[in-house]
Amino acid sequence: MNNGAETDEGTAAEPDGFAAALAAEIATLRKAGFSKAYICERSFEIEARVRDRLALDPPDHHPRSPYPFDED
């Protein structure tokens, strides 16, 4: 059973929302005028930047809770 922590190859899985955040980052770069070639050449840097941003801003598991640290 895969709990989302690892892929079938045994490597660490991407953070929640990684694909959407990466797509948004790429869209932002394209709107800023960067070419596909530029984005491809720096894909590892872009992915690392998105991973770092997601790690610094963890998802809110209780979005409607008045108590930000409410545990189930």
Side-chain angles (χ1 to χ4, degrees), residues 15-16 51-62 69:
D16 291 338
R51 268 190 218 95
D52 290 345
R53 188 178 313 131
L54 290 175
L56 293 175
D57 188 21
D60 183 4
H61 295 290
H62 304 283
F69 301 106

Side-chain angles (χ1 to χ4, degrees), residues 13-43:
E14 298 297 346
D16 291 338
F18 177 76
L22 183 60
E25 180 71 16
I26 291 170
T28 300
L29 291 170
R30 293 288 293 154
K31 286 180 184 177
F34 292 99
S35 68
K36 288 181 184 180
Y38 175 90
I39 294 168
C40 288
E41 289 171 357
R42 288 159 180 81
S43 62

